[in-house]
Amino acid sequence: MKILVTGGAGFLGSRLIQALLQPEALDLLPGHGRIVSLDLAPYPYEDPRVESVIGDIADPACLARLVDAETTVVYHLAAVVSGQAEADFDLGMRVNLDATRVLLEACRQRAKAPILVFASSLAVFGGELPDKVPEDLAPLPQSSYGAQKAMAELLVGDYSRKGYVDGRVCRLPTISVRPGKPNAAASSFASGIIREPLAGLPSNCPVPLETRLWLSSPDTVIANLLHAARLDGQALGLRRTLNLPGISVRVGQMLDSLERLAGLEARARVGDEPDPRIERIVCSWPGDFDIRRPLQLGFGVDRDFDAIVAAHQRFMKTQ
Amino acid sequence: MKILVTGGAGFLGSRLIQALLQPEALDLLPGHGRIVSLDLAPYPYEDPRVESVIGDIADPACLARLVDAETTVVYHLAAVVSGQAEADFDLGMRVNLDATRVLLEACRQRAKAPILVFASSLAVFGGELPDKVPEDLAPLPQSSYGAQKAMAELLVGDYSRKGYVDGRVCRLPTISVRPGKPNAAASSFASGIIREPLAGLPSNCPVPLETRLWLSSPDTVIANLLHAARLDGQALGLRRTLNLPGISVRVGQMLDSLERLAGLEARARVGDEPDPRIERIVCSWPGDFDIRRPLQLGFGVDRDFDAIVAAHQRFMKTQ
């Protein structure tokens, strides 16, 4: 048995692989099972059960080789992030749309359709939004990243309907607090305004304090990605796409949490220089969702943002 | 000035071209303007202002040549119909998705973004549907045709947002009464059960009489496609996709109209042998829509199904 993780060298992919190697995930990856990480960079840890393949996710030959008869589960996390896909339209199309199709075609060639967990995003939404986004709201992307993810969702849906793959689409909330460095995602600040001050560094908040964000901690997202592969595909019915649970928090409330848990000094490290490019993208995203269905299906959710900050503080001590 | 019509040899395309050549459409096509029909078959009429190109809609070189600096409007009607796209997945993907992208790329290369009117379909919807489909209901296609159209809609939306094209997506109702012969569309019977009996031929109704259909006459669809090109793109706001107006009619009511206008003998020519394959596709489509927005934007609608049958009877006399 084999699990393929695209984007396995990234923050989320490498954390997911570590979780899959734990005894708690033996149902997904038995002791003799292997994980293949496909990414432009090597999987950052050493483990005899992980094969790190450096390759192009949009290369059909590479995918045809990596998705073989042993492959039971595919996690498709590789993506060009929102800011970058907006700046380089063609790159975004190639990685976010074309590569997904190449991967689905590789799955289709298998006698037994693998389970595919595809990481999509709340960035598929935009325009005038209801206060709480219902399950059946039409995507209206205001970024190429969102449009590419929405198209890829439809691909996964139709390949699943045809029985070519057993797909589950998880629209991830914005993840906060991501460890590491800022990246080109428009939502990068949602981690930066907590992570940098906690590390004694300055950070900037480019959007108004009243901006609502839909957030999930890394631990909750990882647990939910594991759960997505464990679900009975039939339980999803016709709707293969799920808005993963998150918590609805205003940016000002995030900074209040920072001050409560790390003091005024930490809070004072966050500047407030607006960035219209980021604001335009981030403020087009919904700040709250109806999550009754994913909760019924057993997905988890963070308690509140204080708990998320505290978890990141604990994580910092382990580094 | 030049108008490109993909699928210009088809029933809708050739009717559209004829309408564009009328004096009433001089605003879209001035006297010196030309129309290019791109299709696998030749444009079926002779007109010095129409150039009939027989070519592959998915061929980038062909599209790059046909969408030139003179091109002000593109009508994209070429498609593999629902029944065929379900039977031949790869062909559907190539024509309904890939060719749309090739066409959008050709438009993107122009200094001034052409107006693009893209014919989509109510087949993007499926699953549990509200009695009346609102503007912002998420597509949940239950056919590959519907999935491909939904993806192409997102493409047109994002290319429009980026300013690469000035797109307008028209989700067409099922067209009844189409002249000509039955085709591979799952909805082919919606014309056949009227057209064939009126011509003295037998026909079959493969779905239950209580099935609701969302219908438009050919004349209304053509008038609405002309209107779509005349609209100010800005008037559409962020939502480039429109559910074109139709009327909600049960199949039994259609046959009542047939009997009212053509007698019991005509009605008796319609058999009732179920076809589960067609029923599965057609009954996944919505039977009614909220059309306040398209009506406000000036799109037209048929009076009732009797009027549609009567119009087809008049059309038969002209042939």
Side-chain angles (χ1 to χ4, degrees):
Chain A
M1 283 172 83
K2 205 175 81 176
I3 296 180
L4 172 64
V5 180
T6 75
F11 149 66
L12 209 58
S14 59
R15 287 271 276 251
L16 175 68
I17 291 174
Q18 289 178 289
L20 285 166
L21 293 168
Q22 301 307 308
E24 294 77 20
L26 273 173
D27 58 321
L28 289 170
L29 190 75
H32 59 278
R34 287 178 308 118
I35 298 179
V36 175
S37 161
L38 172 61
D39 207 313
L40 295 173
Y43 174 66
Y45 309 104
E46 275 295 325
D47 192 294
R49 295 205 284 157
V50 181
E51 179 192 352
S52 179
V53 175
I54 297 179
D56 178 0
I57 169 84
D59 172 14
C62 173
L63 267 299
R65 189 172 61 80
L66 294 184
V67 181
D68 60 23
E70 301 286 293
T71 308
T72 50
V73 178
V74 176
Y75 279 98
H76 181 34
L77 309 181
V80 166
V81 295
S82 50
Q84 198 183 358
E86 198 58 28
D88 188 341
F89 180 80
D90 297 307
L91 179 69
M93 289 293 284
R94 178 176 147 76
V95 174
N96 295 340
L97 180 59
D98 297 337
T100 304
R101 185 162 162 196
V102 166
L103 177 60
L104 287 165
E105 278 297 308
C107 293
R108 179 184 174 193
Q109 305 312 318
R110 303 274 61 86
K112 184 169 175 350
I115 288 173
L116 174 82
V117 180
F118 172 54
S120 186
S121 164
L122 52 77
V124 300
F125 294 109
E128 249 185 85
L129 290 164
D131 183 60
K132 218 186 238 294
V133 168
E135 279 260 298
D136 61 358
L137 184 73
L140 187 59
Q142 296 310 306
S143 66
S144 294
Y145 174 78
Q148 291 148 9
K149 286 289 185 184
M151 288 186 273
E153 289 181 353
L154 285 159
L155 277 180
V156 174
D158 204 46
Y159 275 73
S160 296
R161 192 186 59 80
K162 295 286 272 187
Y164 298 157
V165 74
D166 182 358
R168 299 101 199 270
V169 177
C170 296
R171 288 187 186 137
L172 305 190
T174 295
I175 299 179
S176 177
V177 182
R178 264 177 198 270
K181 295 202 185 315
N183 67 12
S187 59
S188 179
F189 76 90
S191 291
I193 58 171
I194 305 298
R195 182 186 59 223
E196 265 64 289
L198 286 179
L201 299 169
S203 181
N204 184 53
C205 178
V207 302
L209 292 183
E210 61 271 23
T211 307
R212 285 191 316 172
L213 298 178
W214 180 245
L215 301 178
S216 181
S217 67
D219 287 348
T220 298
V221 165
I222 296 295
N224 283 338
L225 288 174
L226 294 183
H227 185 68
R230 286 176 172 132
L231 274 182
D232 176 7
Q234 299 296 322
L236 292 174
L238 298 180
R239 202 177 290 280
R240 290 273 166 173
T241 296
L242 289 154
N243 298 318
L244 280 200
I247 56 173
S248 179
V249 190
R250 291 188 193 277
V251 170
Q253 295 173 314
M254 295 170 69
L255 295 175
D256 292 346
S257 286
L258 174 66
E259 185 172 331
R260 248 189 319 272
L261 278 94
L264 209 70
E265 197 188 356
R267 169 67 183 86
R269 295 192 186 108
V270 183
D272 59 359
E273 197 178 326
D275 182 332
R277 191 188 61 87
I278 289 180
E279 188 178 336
R280 201 168 45 243
I281 295 181
V282 172
C283 294
S284 77
W285 299 343
D288 201 3
F289 289 78
D290 178 353
I291 53 172
R292 282 172 297 176
R293 182 172 172 243
L295 291 180
Q296 275 162 14
L297 286 165
F299 288 94
V301 64
D302 292 291
R303 201 187 64 217
D304 55 30
F305 196 69
D306 278 10
I308 291 180
V309 175
H312 183 70
Q313 288 177 307
R314 285 194 302 275
F315 170 82
M316 288 172 72
K317 290 192 185 133
T318 69
Q319 298 299 297
Chain B
M1 285 173 84
K2 206 175 82 176
I3 297 180
L4 172 64
V5 180
T6 75
F11 148 66
L12 210 57
S14 59
R15 287 271 275 251
L16 175 69
I17 290 174
Q18 290 179 290
L20 286 167
L21 293 168
Q22 301 305 308
E24 294 77 20
L26 272 174
D27 58 321
L28 289 170
L29 190 75
H32 60 278
R34 290 178 307 118
I35 299 179
V36 175
S37 161
L38 172 61
D39 207 313
L40 295 174
Y43 174 67
Y45 309 104
E46 275 295 326
D47 192 293
R49 296 207 282 156
V50 181
E51 180 193 350
S52 179
V53 175
I54 297 181
D56 178 0
I57 168 85
D59 172 14
C62 173
L63 266 299
R65 189 171 61 78
L66 295 183
V67 181
D68 60 23
E70 300 285 293
T71 308
T72 50
V73 179
V74 176
Y75 279 98
H76 181 34
L77 309 181
V80 166
V81 294
S82 49
Q84 199 182 358
E86 197 59 27
D88 188 339
F89 180 80
D90 297 307
L91 178 69
M93 290 292 283
R94 178 175 146 74
V95 175
N96 295 340
L97 179 60
D98 296 337
T100 304
R101 186 162 162 195
V102 166
L103 177 60
L104 288 165
E105 279 297 310
C107 293
R108 180 184 174 193
Q109 305 312 318
R110 304 274 58 89
K112 183 171 175 353
I115 289 173
L116 174 82
V117 180
F118 171 57
S120 186
S121 163
L122 53 77
V124 299
F125 294 108
E128 249 183 85
L129 289 164
D131 183 58
K132 217 184 237 297
V133 169
E135 279 261 298
D136 61 357
L137 184 73
L140 187 59
Q142 296 309 306
S143 66
S144 294
Y145 174 77
Q148 290 147 10
K149 286 289 186 186
M151 287 185 275
E153 290 181 352
L154 286 159
L155 278 180
V156 174
D158 204 47
Y159 275 73
S160 297
R161 192 186 59 80
K162 294 287 272 187
Y164 299 157
V165 74
D166 181 359
R168 299 99 199 270
V169 177
C170 296
R171 288 186 186 138
L172 305 189
T174 295
I175 298 179
S176 177
V177 181
R178 263 177 199 270
K181 296 201 186 314
N183 68 11
S187 59
S188 179
F189 76 90
S191 290
I193 59 170
I194 305 299
R195 182 185 59 223
E196 264 66 288
L198 287 178
L201 300 169
S203 181
N204 184 54
C205 178
V207 301
L209 292 183
E210 61 271 23
T211 307
R212 284 191 317 171
L213 297 178
W214 180 245
L215 300 179
S216 181
S217 68
D219 286 348
T220 297
V221 164
I222 295 295
N224 283 338
L225 288 174
L226 294 183
H227 185 67
R230 286 176 172 133
L231 275 182
D232 176 8
Q234 299 297 322
L236 293 174
L238 299 180
R239 202 178 289 281
R240 290 273 165 173
T241 297
L242 289 154
N243 299 318
L244 280 200
I247 55 174
S248 180
V249 189
R250 291 187 193 277
V251 171
Q253 295 173 315
M254 296 170 69
L255 295 175
D256 292 345
S257 287
L258 174 67
E259 186 173 328
R260 248 189 321 270
L261 277 94
L264 210 69
E265 198 188 356
R267 168 67 182 87
R269 294 192 187 107
V270 182
D272 59 358
E273 196 178 327
D275 183 332
R277 189 189 61 87
I278 288 181
E279 188 178 337
R280 200 168 45 242
I281 294 181
V282 172
C283 294
S284 77
W285 298 343
D288 201 2
F289 288 78
D290 178 352
I291 53 173
R292 284 171 296 175
R293 182 171 171 242
L295 291 180
Q296 275 163 12
L297 287 165
F299 289 94
V301 65
D302 293 291
R303 202 185 63 220
D304 56 30
F305 197 68
D306 278 10
I308 291 180
V309 175
H312 184 71
Q313 288 177 308
R314 285 194 302 276
F315 170 83
M316 287 173 70
K317 289 191 187 136
T318 68
Q319 297 299 296

